[in-house]
Amino acid sequence: MGYIAMNRFKIRLGREADFESIWASRESRLKEVPGFREFRLLKGPEAADHRLYSSHVIWDSREDFEAWTKSEQFRAAHRNAGKREGESPIMGHPQFEGFETVLHEA
Ligand code: HEM
């Protein structure tokens, strides 16, 4: 039925473009991973001291997602995460949430 993996990021105000360009310029290997369906980077509401973003990936199954987290593609995608020079646009750690599809209509 599908599994949605979401990671929420709090981005410092004024650093939104820096965060978006990290994602836009990354070398994504998701398309080679079994069970990958769709990726989105979502921009959410602004709060007092940050803007909410979420990475959003639709997988065929939770098992496919978990296999990706143990893969070389996952390690490569995160090689630079949190290790760039200067103050990170990301406040603290991202918050992960995984969702099983219960109903699907299209
Ligand atoms: C359950 C844990 C995590 C999940 C599900 C997840 C999900 C993802 C996905 C789907 C991508 C894109 C990969 C691609 O296109 O090939 C990615 C990249 C990225 N992730 Fe994560 N991630 C996780 C942990 C983290 C953590 C702890 C950080 C901390 C900073 C982080 C920061 C990033 C950043 C900044 C990128 C963009 C690539 C780059 O830095 O060059 N992720 N992540």
Side-chain angles (χ1 to χ4, degrees):
M1 269 286 255
Y3 181 79
I4 298 185
M6 299 184 68
N7 216 14
R8 285 142 67 84
F9 297 86
K10 289 181 177 176
I11 303 307
R12 295 176 209 283
L13 296 180
R15 301 293 306 279
E16 294 91 340
D18 295 335
F19 180 69
E20 289 179 19
S21 78
I22 288 172
W23 286 84
S25 63
R26 80 197 196 283
E27 283 177 33
S28 180
R29 292 173 62 187
L30 285 172
K31 284 185 183 146
E32 63 193 54
V33 181
F36 167 75
R37 279 195 212 164
E38 193 178 314
F39 167 85
R40 290 179 196 221
L41 180 65
L42 305 176
K43 177 158 71 171
E46 192 173 301
D49 66 344
H50 68 270
R51 180 106 189 200
L52 180 66
Y53 281 78
S54 179
S55 62
H56 176 286
V57 183
I58 307 179
W59 295 94
D60 285 345
S61 70
R62 180 186 183 133
E63 289 71 29
D64 289 322
F65 163 71
E66 285 174 356
W68 172 70
T69 64
K70 293 168 192 145
S71 71
E72 168 52 27
Q73 289 92 336
F74 179 91
R75 266 194 300 281
H78 292 91
R79 204 155 275 151
N80 297 319
K83 292 181 205 121
R84 290 182 176 84
E85 280 183 32
E87 187 187 47
S88 173
I90 306 166
M91 293 168 60
H93 296 287
Q95 186 191 348
F96 175 77
E97 289 161 327
F99 296 86
E100 300 278 359
T101 300
V102 179
L103 290 173
H104 178 227
E105 296 164 17

